[in-house]
Amino acid sequence: MVPWWAKGSHKGTSVVVKMENPNCSMVELEAPSEEDFLIGSTPTGSREKLRGKNAKQLTWVLLLKAHRAAGCLTSITSTFLSFGSTVRRRVASGRTDDNDIETDENKAVKTGFYNCIKVFLWLSLLLFCFEVAAYFKGWHFGAPNLQLQYILSVPLGFNDLFDWLYTHWVLIRVGYLAPPLQFLANVCIVLFLIQSMDRLILCLGCFWIRLKKIKPIPKHEAVADLESGEDSFFPMVLIQIPMCNEKEVYQQSIAAVCSLDWPKSRILIQVLDDSDDPMTQLLIKEEVHKWQQEGAHIVYRHRVLRDGYKAGNLKSAMSCSYVKDYEFVAIFDADFQPSPDFLKRTVPHFKDTEDLGLVQTRWSFVNKDENLLTRLQNINLSFHFEVEQQVNGVFINFFGFNGTAGVWRIKALEESGGWLERTTVEDMDIAVRAHLRGWKFIFLNDVECRCELPESYEAYRKQQHRWHSGPMQLFRLCLPDIIRAKISVWKKFSMIFLFFLLRKLILPFYSFTLFCIILPMTMFVPEAELPAWVVCYIPAIMSFLNILPAPKSFPFIVPYLLFENTMSVTKFNAMVSGLFQLGSSYEWVVTKKFGRSSENDLVSLVEKGPKHQRVGSEPNLDKIQADLKQEQKARKTKHNRIYTKELALAFLLLTASARSLLSVQGIHFYFLLFQGVSFLLVGLDLIGEQVI
């Protein structure tokens, strides 16, 4: 008897599976039919027929999976071959980061740091060979505690001399090397825990802000005045766009600023061009002239002598006689594109708040998904803005000015001494001096300004060097002023310990020392130990906290952890250079940009009217030819490099990971292995933009 749920003439649904290999034909697989559910009631012959049919289908499915596995294997093999070919070409080209060293002083500083790393590398290789020989001669090590189990395998000859040498080496380790190494490790662990606690408190503060929905809100009267269009609350605003040889992005920034929704009679745009390339100067000047013809209140300024870099450029612009007619100044770097309502969302916060000196907005990135490097930068900067800047702005009304996408009260700038060229972080300098004079800051996390991230490791490395050497220069210069300032003891402690020492000095110090020097050394001096929670668990938790503001980046949490440790060598070098005023601390290199636009930009171009549809100047033959020539010239001079310090540290960490296998230290082995591979990829410039 056939059950009610099996009634009917069900013949099965055909499923067609197409093989990717053109030599294979298509096969039709049938879904379960009515007979498949009635095997128990079918004759023996039909049952065998069904089994043969199912076996044939299963064979084709297995063949299909094998075909896919073979394709995957082929793809992996092709990737490795391409990787090997890229590495071979890069090594054969012989271009290293030493080619960027311009002065003898910088060369001496960078070469000295590199030589120190090479000494550790050669010493580790020598000790590794010594330890391997000892292991095969019977000296075995247990983990986690060191247990020497001497097994005499060769009773005479060289074995006795080797045993004597190795025994004395162990005694030297135990008596002279392990104690200072363990002490230094404990100091770094304490610093690591303090910095981790600071990061945890910042995250709790951010959680509290979200829970209570705390955010700066302008006075209702200011918003009402803007909506009603009353001229009484459209203060005079000066817009400054400092730039230098940035022909890829000048059109976008000028167009975005000229499209700001603000009365034309109450705004003035200064294009501050420090370019030393005549063609770039002409292109920018032409762009400004065309916007002037469209009615924009915009002027072009060019300095013959580029003294003081960006700070000198801004200082020169503020010395113009007409600046006294303006109350506020908004600053945008050449790659920043503010939205039309930027001023309407920032300037109202100043009304009836006379002690407010700065309104800083958040950055958003049009190329954050361009490559792995930009994704990792997005994680870092998302945490910086949403957690660090927002928490400091809400609870202590102070944070470092980001140099762009912010609005200053001109009175605050003047009372704080104006722009100074004494460091490479003029933005942080003016923020510290303004805070010491009682000015308050607010951060708007919900107001974003689009910009670009550096896509090549070379550009990112130079940017990070400037960002980490400048604060140490500033700390040496501002420390006496902070101590003498008439502010509360808590604010002095917060500025000296939290703002400068903990986040600008201690963080790069322990990151490099603990994970790139001490950890590999403990593999060769196993009497000094680093607990597993220091190597793995706490860093993993901190990486998890860092990635919370960018939840879509969770798949990159492991590369992020490894890359941050990899960047510690650049940040440590920059910190030391700035702290001791070495030559490389005064390097200023404009971060290379590509002039990319987001999808929203393209949509807005379609929606805008004819007047604002153009985001740049009309194309002409001369301009196109000039752009093509410059592009060809850039391609010839553009190339990937080999970074010697990162490569040396890669081999040091990989050697230490191999040594950890002799002591059966599992988690240390995996950390050192992956960290060494990370240094290797960065050292070969395989992260970020690829040219050759």
Side-chain angles (χ1 to χ4, degrees):
M1 183 177 180
V2 180
W4 62 273
W5 46 267
K7 290 181 179 180
S9 57
H10 179 70
K11 296 183 179 180
T13 304
S14 298
V15 181
V16 178
V17 181
K18 184 177 180 180
M19 306 290 288
E20 297 179 4
N21 191 339
N23 295 327
C24 301
S25 59
M26 292 191 301
V27 60
E28 185 180 271
L29 304 180
E30 292 186 359
S33 62
E34 177 183 276
E35 297 177 350
D36 297 333
F37 296 98
L38 304 175
I39 293 179
S41 60
T42 56
T44 304
S46 300
R47 194 181 309 168
E48 295 296 334
K49 182 179 179 180
L50 289 174
R51 288 177 179 174
K53 182 179 181 181
N54 292 337
K56 184 178 180 181
Q57 293 177 349
L58 179 61
T59 301
W60 280 109
V61 170
L62 293 177
L63 287 174
L64 177 61
K65 291 185 176 181
H67 174 77
R68 290 177 177 175
C72 181
L73 183 61
T74 303
S75 177
I76 294 175
T77 303
S78 176
T79 301
F80 273 101
L81 290 176
S82 176
F83 173 80
S85 176
T86 302
V87 172
R88 186 171 60 254
R89 291 198 309 268
R90 201 146 298 168
V91 172
S93 67
R95 299 188 182 98
T96 66
D97 52 338
D98 295 334
N99 299 334
D100 295 333
I101 302 176
E102 297 179 356
T103 65
D104 294 336
E105 185 179 4
N106 292 353
K107 186 174 182 179
V109 172
K110 295 185 178 181
T111 304
F113 185 53
Y114 174 55
N115 288 337
C116 291
I117 297 176
K118 283 201 300 185
V119 168
F120 278 105
L121 173 60
W122 287 111
L123 186 60
S124 66
L125 291 172
L126 179 63
L127 290 177
F128 176 70
C129 296
F130 192 42
E131 295 287 351
V132 170
Y135 183 83
F136 284 106
K137 286 183 176 297
W139 294 84
H140 293 174
F141 301 90
N145 297 322
L146 182 63
Q147 298 175 351
L148 297 180
Q149 301 173 354
Y150 175 65
I151 303 175
L152 189 61
S153 57
V154 182
L156 298 174
F158 180 75
N159 184 72
D160 295 333
L161 176 60
F162 187 89
D163 288 343
W164 181 85
L165 290 174
Y166 195 78
T167 301
H168 283 73
W169 162 240
V170 172
L171 294 176
I172 292 173
R173 280 186 349 211
V174 174
Y176 299 100
L177 298 181
L181 182 60
Q182 188 66 61
F183 174 77
L184 182 59
N186 292 338
V187 170
C188 289
I189 290 174
V190 172
L191 297 177
F192 178 38
L193 292 177
I194 294 174
Q195 198 275 334
S196 300
M197 185 62 63
D198 171 64
R199 185 143 299 192
L200 179 61
I201 292 174
L202 286 174
C203 291
L204 292 176
C206 183
F207 175 76
W208 181 259
I209 291 172
R210 283 197 171 189
L211 182 65
K212 296 297 182 178
K213 298 181 180 179
I214 302 173
K215 69 175 184 178
I217 300 177
K219 293 184 179 296
H220 178 72
E221 294 81 4
V223 179
D225 289 347
L226 285 177
E227 292 178 351
S228 62
E230 294 183 7
D231 293 339
S232 59
F233 189 67
F234 279 103
M236 300 290 285
V237 179
L238 180 67
I239 308 291
Q240 294 180 334
I241 312 176
M243 58 180 64
C244 178
N245 296 327
E246 298 175 90
K247 64 181 181 63
E248 296 85 2
V249 294
Y250 73 93
Q251 288 181 316
Q252 296 177 359
S253 60
I254 293 176
V257 171
C258 289
S259 301
L260 288 173
D261 188 7
W262 203 257
K264 300 298 183 183
S265 61
R266 309 191 70 81
I267 188 175
L268 174 64
I269 303 168
Q270 288 181 318
V271 178
L272 311 177
D273 182 23
D274 259 5
S275 303
D276 55 8
D277 177 33
M279 181 58 67
T280 303
Q281 295 176 24
L282 290 175
L283 292 175
I284 297 175
K285 189 180 298 184
E286 179 187 359
E287 184 72 13
V288 171
H289 178 67
K290 290 189 176 182
W291 278 103
Q292 288 174 341
Q293 291 180 335
E294 289 196 4
H297 198 190
I298 183 172
V299 296
Y300 173 85
R301 281 180 55 87
H302 175 72
R303 295 191 305 161
V304 178
L305 298 177
R306 189 188 165 208
D307 296 333
Y309 302 110
K310 181 180 176 181
N313 198 359
L314 295 173
K315 182 179 180 179
S316 174
M318 294 298 293
S319 65
C320 295
S321 59
Y322 53 77
V323 172
K324 66 179 183 298
D325 299 328
Y326 294 85
E327 187 177 357
F328 304 102
V329 55
I331 302 173
F332 301 100
D333 283 349
D335 61 305
F336 278 72
Q337 306 167 42
S339 57
D341 62 346
F342 181 88
L343 293 179
K344 286 189 173 182
R345 300 180 67 183
T346 54
V347 174
H349 290 272
F350 288 99
K351 187 174 184 180
D352 299 331
T353 313
E354 296 300 325
D355 60 346
L356 180 61
L358 168 67
V359 174
Q360 174 70 58
T361 64
R362 181 172 178 166
W363 301 355
S364 62
F365 311 105
V366 298
N367 62 335
K368 63 182 179 180
D369 297 324
E370 186 66 25
N371 53 46
L372 179 59
L373 179 61
T374 58
R375 293 176 185 271
L376 300 180
Q377 291 179 69
N378 178 56
I379 296 173
N380 245 343
L381 291 172
S382 295
F383 181 87
H384 169 69
F385 285 110
E386 186 158 345
V387 180
E388 293 179 342
Q389 299 289 75
Q390 184 174 213
V391 170
N392 290 330
V394 168
F395 292 104
I396 62 177
N397 295 121
F398 169 72
F399 46 81
F401 175 46
N402 293 115
T404 178
V407 182
W408 276 94
R409 189 188 296 271
I410 294 181
K411 182 180 178 181
L413 291 177
E414 293 174 346
E415 289 186 358
S416 303
W419 299 103
L420 300 180
E421 308 98 324
R422 57 183 182 173
T423 70
T424 58
V425 284
E426 73 292 328
D427 45 9
M428 186 181 295
D429 187 1
I430 188 64
V432 170
R433 287 185 280 118
H435 182 64
L436 293 179
R437 285 161 177 78
W439 292 99
K440 294 181 180 180
F441 307 158
I442 63 172
F443 176 75
L444 303 180
N445 191 53
D446 57 340
V447 180
E448 297 183 353
C449 189
R450 298 187 304 275
C451 63
E452 283 190 36
L453 292 166
E455 297 180 9
S456 68
Y457 179 70
E458 178 188 3
Y460 179 63
R461 184 169 174 260
K462 292 178 179 178
Q463 180 196 70
Q464 292 300 304
H465 188 278
R466 176 166 54 88
W467 284 5
H468 286 81
S469 64
M472 290 297 97
Q473 299 174 9
L474 183 61
F475 178 65
R476 297 177 75 260
L477 297 171
C478 287
L479 183 58
D481 296 334
I482 297 174
I483 296 175
R484 292 193 301 262
K486 296 179 180 180
I487 56 177
S488 65
V489 176
W490 159 247
K491 287 186 176 181
K492 291 182 180 180
F493 171 80
S494 174
M495 185 170 289
I496 294 175
F497 181 73
L498 295 179
F499 185 74
F500 278 111
L501 292 181
L502 186 59
R503 298 168 187 167
K504 304 297 188 297
L505 188 148
I506 291 177
L507 177 59
F509 171 77
Y510 86 75
S511 296
F512 174 74
T513 307
L514 186 62
F515 296 108
C516 299
I517 300 298
I518 294 178
L519 179 58
M521 289 180 65
T522 57
M523 298 298 103
F524 300 100
V525 186
E527 291 80 9
E529 296 182 353
L530 281 180
W533 56 269
V534 174
V535 177
C536 180
Y537 303 129
I538 298 297
I541 294 174
M542 291 300 103
S543 298
F544 177 79
L545 294 178
N546 281 13
I547 213 168
L548 283 177
K552 294 183 179 180
S553 301
F554 268 103
F556 303 96
I557 186 170
V558 174
Y560 171 74
L561 170 61
L562 298 174
F563 182 69
E564 280 301 290
N565 289 335
T566 304
M567 284 302 301
S568 65
V569 60
T570 297
K571 297 176 181 179
F572 177 82
N573 187 25
M575 181 268 293
V576 173
S577 299
L579 188 62
F580 297 102
Q581 290 187 311
L582 303 178
S584 59
S585 63
Y586 294 96
E587 292 180 347
W588 181 286
V589 180
V590 177
T591 305
K592 183 69 175 177
K593 303 295 170 53
F594 292 89
R596 301 188 186 278
S597 299
S598 63
E599 294 180 359
N600 294 333
D601 299 332
L602 301 178
V603 174
S604 64
L605 292 180
V606 178
E607 297 175 351
K608 286 183 180 180
K611 180 178 180 179
H612 299 290
Q613 185 174 359
R614 180 180 57 82
V615 297
S617 58
E618 296 294 337
N620 58 70
L621 184 58
D622 295 337
K623 179 176 177 295
I624 293 175
Q625 291 177 347
D627 289 344
L628 289 176
K629 289 180 180 179
Q630 291 191 4
E631 185 68 23
Q632 292 174 357
K633 182 179 178 181
R635 288 179 180 177
K636 292 180 181 178
T637 58
K638 197 175 182 181
H639 47 71
N640 293 99
R641 287 181 170 85
I642 294 177
Y643 298 95
T644 53
K645 290 189 291 291
E646 285 80 355
L647 272 185
L649 283 169
F651 292 122
L652 172 62
L653 293 171
L654 292 174
T655 304
S657 68
R659 170 62 182 85
S660 68
L661 290 177
L662 302 180
S663 300
V664 201
Q665 299 188 31
I667 198 168
H668 296 72
F669 164 74
Y670 289 112
F671 181 87
L672 289 167
L673 175 63
F674 291 127
Q675 191 63 69
V677 172
S678 176
F679 267 102
L680 183 64
L681 295 176
V682 172
L684 293 172
D685 201 5
L686 294 172
I687 181 173
E689 182 193 17
Q690 299 298 303
V691 181
I692 61 170

